[in-house]
Amino acid sequence: VLSGEKEEGAGVTMGAGKEKGDGNNAGAEESVTGEEYSAWALREVDEAPMALFASVDVLDLSPRGVAVFNSALEGYDRKVDAIEERLARLLRGKLAACQDAEDMFRVFARFNPLLTRSRVRAAVKEFQLQLMNTVGQAVQKLQSKFTHKYESSSASCIATIRGIPPFSGKILWAKQMERQVHALMKRMSDVLGKEWGQQLEGRQLRRSCDELLSKLDSRAYFRSWVSEWESELSSNTASKLNSYPIIVVRQNSGGSSGGVLVAKANFDQKHEYLFREIRYLKWLGYERDIPRTIALVSEEAIVRYPHAMALKTALSSYAAARDLITPELEPLVAKELRAIKDSIAEAFDVSSDGAKVTSKRRIRWDSKDISGWVAALNELVSRFEERVEILLRACDNIDIAIEALGTVAYDRQKFCDAVENVQKVVDELSLAGYSDLASWGDRVNRKMGAVLAKRLEEALHAWSETFQPVEADSSCEKDSKKKGKTAPVRAPK
């Protein structure tokens, strides 16, 4: 069951109180002796014709013979009426002893053949109306569920979590509701008889069930899905881009009007849903109804799917790592960027600088070495991510060391330690083989020079303020002359 809920058709519950007065005692008595009475009733029905008509001469057409025959018929009818009366009381007692609607449905299913007798129908009329009301409420709930559509139901969310594609989930949802409606109709047949739809009580309910079943036609859903895909394939048949594993699209970012060019895997998500839809449709019994063209597209999507997922992962990881690289750091990873661009360019018959090449291999979806190319691209991207992570960590360490130059005390050893920390990070990057490290080192030197120049400027300003003449009040001069002391000299920080 998709939604994990109990089906209404199989789980309708309703409080059914026991009858007051003698109904409880009669139901208890009949429940105890019900099996024995059933055997007795069957025996009586079988033996009644032999007992009443054994002494009747059916060939005697005289007035006396006709009177004897009519008397035997009346005796047979009285005996059958007595049996029906006791069966009606037995059935009513069992229904009154039921705790809920489930028990009542089971009783009606067992005694369903007796509902053809008018005496029995009259005895259980109130219980039939009670169960009809319960089934009617269940049908209304199903109609309300159908009105709210599959896309907004809890079954759609659960199907998505379980990996069931949208259309197959909708068919499963419709089939589930269809089973529930048929279960409700079967219960109405048990309660009212096989011709319950023609009876006055069940006519409206049968009409509601038939209308709901006509709307839950899974074949109609399947035909609409096939027509959508056929129109989709007919519009994309002539496109030459289908053979390229990677395409470049323009993606709008922020307030820019033109946007930026972004490489993406040339694999539509619809194709991913397609082969999953066909797999579920085959399980649902639509294998022979699926057109061959759609099946071929599905088989092609199954082959491309692993490579497409690997490409999507590689390109998204590359884009995320590329956004972390500033223009100042880009020369340090230029070699890795060049390798990735050259690998991607193999899918376009062009080099990374835009010139068309014919000597290198051409990568298409149907190429034999596409798996090796995808694996190589993923390896290059992983290497690029690793190099970017090391570089960003090194930049953070250098920023911390340069910031320390602006705060350490005026001590030669402390200045040397801060500069050595910067040099240590630069040496690690040099050993790691980062390209164009010299130009980046010059920028780091300029940052350090700016910090040291600022510290020197602050120190000179402090010394100059210390030795400027200070104007003092007369009272301060007198006090200083008396004490024979001068104002203290302020040392730089």
Side-chain angles (χ1 to χ4, degrees):
V1 178
L2 261 182
S3 63
E5 300 173 351
K6 189 175 182 182
E7 294 190 2
E8 285 83 349
V12 181
T13 57
M14 177 191 66
K18 297 181 180 180
E19 290 189 344
K20 297 181 180 180
D22 297 337
N24 291 335
N25 298 330
E29 180 181 357
E30 293 293 344
S31 63
V32 174
T33 62
E35 296 297 334
E36 298 178 358
Y37 179 74
S38 298
W40 172 84
L42 291 174
R43 186 170 59 254
E44 285 292 317
V45 171
D46 291 337
E47 295 176 355
M50 295 298 298
L52 295 173
F53 293 96
S55 60
V56 177
D57 185 6
V58 295
L59 298 178
D60 186 3
L61 301 179
S62 62
R64 181 176 178 278
V66 173
V68 171
F69 183 79
N70 290 335
S71 176
L73 282 178
E74 292 177 0
Y76 179 78
D77 290 339
R78 286 194 298 271
K79 183 176 286 292
V80 171
D81 288 343
I83 295 174
E84 285 185 6
E85 180 66 26
R86 295 195 63 180
L87 287 174
R89 283 190 280 114
L90 173 65
L91 180 56
R92 186 176 179 85
K94 284 183 174 294
L95 291 173
C98 292
Q99 299 294 329
D100 52 22
E102 289 293 329
D103 295 338
M104 296 175 68
F105 279 122
R106 282 192 289 268
V107 171
F108 270 109
R110 180 179 179 185
F111 293 91
N112 179 261
L114 297 178
L115 297 178
T116 57
R117 313 300 297 183
S118 58
R119 192 185 301 273
V120 176
R121 287 201 305 269
V124 299
K125 185 70 173 180
E126 59 178 297
F127 298 100
Q128 288 177 330
L129 295 177
Q130 203 171 1
L131 292 179
M132 284 177 57
N133 185 36
T134 302
V135 174
Q137 293 177 1
V139 173
Q140 290 179 359
K141 289 182 180 179
L142 291 177
Q143 290 176 338
S144 176
K145 184 187 294 186
F146 176 80
T147 304
H148 287 86
K149 302 298 181 182
Y150 166 74
E151 291 75 14
S152 60
S153 64
S154 60
S156 176
C157 300
I158 296 177
T160 303
I161 295 173
R162 295 180 177 178
I164 301 175
F167 175 73
S168 298
K170 188 174 184 179
I171 288 187
L172 288 171
W173 174 74
K175 283 184 172 292
Q176 180 194 41
M177 293 182 63
E178 187 177 355
R179 287 194 302 270
Q180 294 173 4
V181 174
H182 283 299
L184 292 173
M185 295 174 69
K186 174 63 171 59
R187 291 195 160 182
M188 287 305 302
S189 177
D190 294 338
V191 173
L192 297 179
K194 293 182 179 180
E195 302 298 331
W196 67 277
Q198 299 178 3
Q199 300 179 18
L200 181 62
E201 298 86 354
R203 193 175 300 164
Q204 180 62 35
L205 188 57
R206 179 59 183 264
R207 189 181 300 112
S208 300
C209 292
D210 291 340
E211 291 177 357
L212 185 57
L213 287 176
S214 63
K215 296 176 183 178
L216 293 172
D217 186 11
S218 58
R219 289 284 174 181
Y221 294 158
F222 176 77
R223 287 191 294 269
S224 65
W225 176 80
V226 170
S227 61
E228 289 178 5
W229 263 105
E230 287 178 344
S231 61
E232 178 80 15
L233 294 179
S234 62
S235 61
N236 294 336
T237 302
S239 179
K240 296 182 179 179
L241 293 176
N242 291 334
S243 61
Y244 290 89
I246 294 179
I247 58 175
V248 176
V249 297
R250 189 175 297 278
Q251 182 177 356
N252 293 329
S253 58
S256 60
S257 58
V260 294
L261 296 177
V262 179
K264 291 187 175 182
N266 188 16
F267 188 81
D268 195 349
Q269 192 176 12
K270 291 182 179 179
H271 290 181
E272 177 185 349
Y273 284 138
L274 176 61
F275 71 82
R276 292 165 57 192
E277 293 278 16
I278 290 182
R279 181 176 59 190
Y280 276 90
L281 289 174
K282 288 180 179 179
W283 293 344
L284 293 171
Y286 293 92
E287 183 174 2
R288 295 183 178 180
D289 301 327
I290 300 174
R292 182 59 181 168
T293 54
I294 299 179
L296 290 175
V297 174
S298 172
E299 293 173 0
E300 184 181 76
I302 292 175
V303 175
R304 294 182 179 182
Y305 179 74
H307 307 312
M309 293 300 102
L311 277 177
K312 284 184 179 180
T313 302
L315 293 176
S316 61
S317 300
Y318 168 73
R322 185 67 180 82
D323 291 339
L324 299 176
I325 299 298
T326 61
E328 295 181 354
L329 300 178
E330 186 173 342
L332 298 178
V333 290
K335 182 171 63 176
E336 288 76 14
L337 288 173
R338 169 78 60 174
I340 294 176
K341 291 179 180 179
D342 289 341
S343 179
I344 294 177
E346 292 179 354
F348 295 98
D349 297 335
V350 294
S351 62
S352 58
D353 56 0
K356 186 173 182 179
V357 296
T358 57
S359 58
K360 289 187 177 181
R361 60 179 179 175
R362 297 175 56 186
I363 300 299
R364 297 292 183 268
W365 278 121
D366 55 354
S367 300
K368 295 182 179 180
D369 54 348
I370 186 172
S371 59
W373 175 75
V374 172
L377 179 60
N378 274 275
E379 185 177 354
L380 291 174
V381 172
S382 299
R383 175 65 175 166
F384 175 67
E385 286 183 306
E386 181 182 352
R387 302 279 284 181
V388 169
E389 183 180 358
I390 295 174
L391 179 59
L392 294 178
R393 191 183 303 116
C395 291
D396 291 339
N397 294 334
I398 287 178
D399 291 340
I400 294 173
I402 293 177
E403 185 179 356
L405 283 176
T407 56
V408 296
Y410 282 90
D411 183 79
R412 181 177 181 277
Q413 185 61 40
K414 293 183 179 180
F415 274 101
C416 290
D417 292 339
V419 175
E420 286 179 359
N421 291 333
V422 176
Q423 186 62 46
K424 182 180 179 181
V425 175
V426 175
D427 292 341
E428 291 177 354
L429 294 179
S430 178
L431 293 175
Y434 283 87
S435 59
D436 200 12
L437 195 60
S439 60
W440 181 74
D442 293 339
R443 285 193 290 271
V444 174
N445 289 333
R446 287 194 292 271
K447 288 183 180 179
M448 293 175 59
V451 173
L452 293 175
K454 185 177 180 181
R455 291 293 302 271
L456 180 59
E457 183 181 357
E458 292 176 354
L460 292 176
H461 183 69
W463 279 105
S464 62
E465 285 185 352
T466 300
F467 292 101
Q468 284 180 357
V470 180
E471 295 180 358
D473 296 337
S474 59
S475 60
C476 294
E477 291 178 356
K478 292 179 181 179
D479 293 339
S480 61
K481 287 180 180 179
K482 290 179 180 180
K483 296 179 180 180
K485 296 181 181 179
T486 60
V489 178
R490 291 178 295 174
K493 296 181 181 178

